[in-house]
Amino acid sequence: MSVAGAWLWDIPAVMSEQPDMEELFRPSMDPETAEVFWTVLRPGYLIALFTAGWALNIVVFGRFRVDYCTVLGIAKDEVVSPYRLLILAATICVAMSSYRVILSAEAPPVVALWSILLGYAAMLCGLFVWLPPTVARHVPWRAPLARALWRCICPDGGREVPFVEVLVADGLTSMAKVFFDLSLGACVAVSSLDHPFSTFSGGSFLDNMPAAQDIALGSNATSMVPAARSGLGAAMKQCRRQSVPFLFWALPFLIRARQCIVTSRHAPDTLSRDLQRVNLLKYLSALPVIFFSLCYAHSGSNMSWLIFMPDDFEAMWALSAVINSIFSFMWDLVMDWGLLQPGDKQQSNWGLRPVLLFRGVWGFYHICVVLNLVGRTLWSLRWSPQANLFLGTFFLASFQQVAEVLRRCLWNVLRVEWECIKKGVHR
């Protein structure tokens, strides 16, 4: 399975400069507070995009008669229509946009932040705990999805991990930055409880600035500038140096690594067991990237155990990212998609594999390989002056997260196709 590049693109806003986001919400909101809210709203839009992407996957499977239900172990009464998935994705987008309307209506930032996080908690409750019967009848896929998610966290150690749980866990790796953003937002919300409410009122950034004549005259009023940082912005800066968000960032990769260990114990032969161990190393190779990101976040602070400079951590982060990208890309082609199989050079499928379920689409496989490579290496835009100038570092990270979700949706098509071919359920 593929390690997502979800954590590769930016060193999670830890290495980014302050974005220019005054226009994102209301004009009176300072950029740092706006960044906090966009950080917690962004996961909702990514979840909606992933949901819409799976709806498109189902359409493709149906069009080319790929029996995804059999390989995923989905019963007929649990099959969900793409139409309903698109409605769900649209509903999530509307909910996220509604929060933005609330933020534009001069709502207290702390109250708005907590309301967003409680909204996510309500979504989890509806997925795992309870939904009104009239609503539950329209979401028959809720139970198998909740079951697969739960099995990802607590796998059955007495058997090989089913393919549906593997596919869900791989999807979580592409959403790893969602876990980081939500835990970061929760940290900011909890930190806000330890400060006076007035500090988080989110008033105009310019209102807290000293007068222009005071600056020109060198007045002592310039000492007020550091106080202009909003309470939420200050809390965000502190939370970015906490270890908990980085642990949540690593969680999907640890889940997938645990699956590899369980599957290797029940492998039918030595080759399968060794391949699972190699796959385990691939997911573990994600951890140095996250660790060096954490070290970079602490560099420059009074941490005596850090013996390297920020540039050193950035170089180590880049090196570990290159290693994992190459490892993951090659595993995608050979193991997850079953490509690069030897064959007759005279045939059109040379370099691919003998059985191709999407053979009728000209250049489909080669385009997928190229797009997958681009998606795996988008993190390198962090060093592109043009990309940073055009989007800004914060919105560049958002663009890269969207690209990773789209890459995963494309990856799903070939991954499920190859599983159908291996199981012999293709038509």
Side-chain angles (χ1 to χ4, degrees):
M1 256 46 69
S2 162
V3 171
W7 35 268
L8 286 174
W9 328 294
D10 65 321
I11 295 183
V14 169
M15 298 179 68
S16 62
E17 300 175 356
Q18 186 64 36
D20 180 19
M21 295 192 293
E22 295 92 334
E23 302 297 329
L24 190 58
F25 298 102
R26 59 175 180 260
S28 62
M29 183 178 291
D30 64 88
E32 292 175 331
T33 302
E35 181 185 359
V36 172
F37 285 117
W38 182 244
T39 297
V40 293
L41 287 174
R42 180 169 56 189
Y45 288 109
L46 291 174
I47 293 172
L49 179 62
F50 200 101
T51 304
W54 180 247
L56 183 59
N57 288 158
I58 294 177
V59 172
V60 172
F61 295 149
R63 170 66 177 80
F64 290 90
R65 297 183 179 182
V66 177
D67 192 2
Y68 74 98
C69 292
T70 299
V71 295
L72 294 179
I74 299 176
K76 290 184 177 180
D77 59 341
E78 295 174 341
V79 175
V80 58
S81 70
Y83 176 73
R84 289 187 175 180
L85 285 176
L86 291 175
I87 290 179
L88 177 61
T91 302
I92 296 174
C93 288
V94 169
M96 295 298 104
S97 300
S98 298
Y99 281 122
R100 289 191 60 184
V101 172
I102 294 174
L103 293 173
S104 300
E106 302 294 336
V110 171
V111 175
L113 178 60
W114 274 102
S115 67
I116 297 171
L117 295 175
L118 290 176
Y120 285 118
M123 290 174 58
L124 287 177
C125 181
L127 178 63
F128 287 102
V129 183
W130 180 82
L131 275 180
T134 55
V135 178
R137 284 198 300 266
H138 297 285
V139 285
W141 48 267
R142 166 178 162 263
L145 176 58
R147 185 168 57 248
L149 286 171
W150 181 251
R151 283 298 187 184
C152 288
I153 300 173
C154 301
D156 184 357
R159 60 169 184 167
E160 183 179 349
V161 178
F163 177 65
V164 62
E165 296 173 19
V166 170
L167 193 70
V168 170
D170 272 323
L172 292 179
T173 60
S174 284
M175 304 289 283
K177 194 61 166 54
V178 166
F179 291 88
F180 180 90
D181 286 346
L182 290 178
S183 59
L184 186 63
C187 176
V188 173
V190 172
S191 299
S192 69
L193 300 178
D194 299 329
H195 295 78
F197 187 82
S198 59
T199 347
F200 296 89
S201 59
S204 171
F205 181 73
L206 296 177
D207 291 341
N208 296 320
M209 293 292 288
Q213 60 268 30
D214 293 332
I215 298 177
L217 295 174
S219 167
N220 289 334
T222 55
S223 63
M224 295 172 57
V225 174
R229 176 183 293 272
S230 71
L232 291 182
M236 173 75 95
K237 182 179 180 181
Q238 292 300 319
C239 287
R240 279 177 175 163
R241 295 183 176 181
Q242 300 296 321
S243 300
V244 173
F246 292 89
L247 290 176
F248 276 92
W249 193 6
L251 182 60
F253 304 103
L254 295 176
I255 289 174
R256 194 62 193 90
R258 171 76 185 281
Q259 288 182 337
C260 292
I261 294 175
V262 172
T263 299
S264 67
R265 291 173 180 171
H266 302 279
D269 51 58
T270 303
L271 177 60
S272 299
R273 183 169 56 252
D274 291 342
L275 287 176
Q276 287 299 324
R277 291 172 177 172
V278 175
N279 202 16
L280 170 65
L281 294 177
K282 183 194 67 174
Y283 288 103
L284 293 181
S285 68
L287 301 184
V289 181
I290 301 174
F291 175 73
F292 292 136
S293 299
L294 175 61
C295 291
Y296 188 95
H298 285 284
S299 61
S301 59
N302 297 323
M303 303 292 290
S304 57
W305 56 274
L306 290 176
I307 61 176
F308 296 102
M309 300 299 292
D311 289 345
D312 299 324
F313 287 121
E314 187 171 0
M316 288 185 283
W317 172 85
L319 178 60
S320 58
V322 168
I323 293 173
N324 182 266
S325 294
I326 297 174
F327 198 164
S328 300
F329 176 71
M330 293 307 300
W331 190 272
D332 286 341
L333 299 187
V334 179
M335 302 305 302
D336 289 338
W337 293 354
L339 302 180
L340 301 184
Q341 294 187 13
D344 188 355
K345 293 184 179 182
Q346 303 299 324
Q347 297 181 355
S348 59
N349 60 349
W350 179 78
L352 301 175
R353 48 178 143 80
V355 179
L356 301 173
L357 303 187
F358 303 106
R359 185 189 299 272
V361 183
W362 182 86
F364 176 75
Y365 293 90
H366 299 90
I367 293 173
C368 286
V369 169
V370 172
L371 291 179
N372 190 59
L373 176 61
V374 171
R376 287 288 185 190
T377 56
L378 270 181
W379 55 268
S380 59
L381 288 179
R382 186 221 175 294
W383 290 280
S384 169
Q386 293 80 9
N388 281 276
L389 179 64
F390 180 70
L391 290 174
T393 49
F394 187 84
F395 288 111
L396 176 61
S398 299
F399 165 75
Q400 292 166 327
Q401 291 179 54
V402 169
E404 169 60 20
V405 171
L406 295 176
R407 187 200 68 80
R408 175 62 62 180
C409 293
L410 179 64
W411 180 92
N412 287 339
V413 174
L414 292 180
R415 180 65 187 92
V416 172
E417 179 212 17
W418 176 231
E419 192 68 17
C420 288
I421 294 173
K422 289 196 300 181
K423 296 289 179 63
V425 298
H426 62 283
R427 300 176 184 176

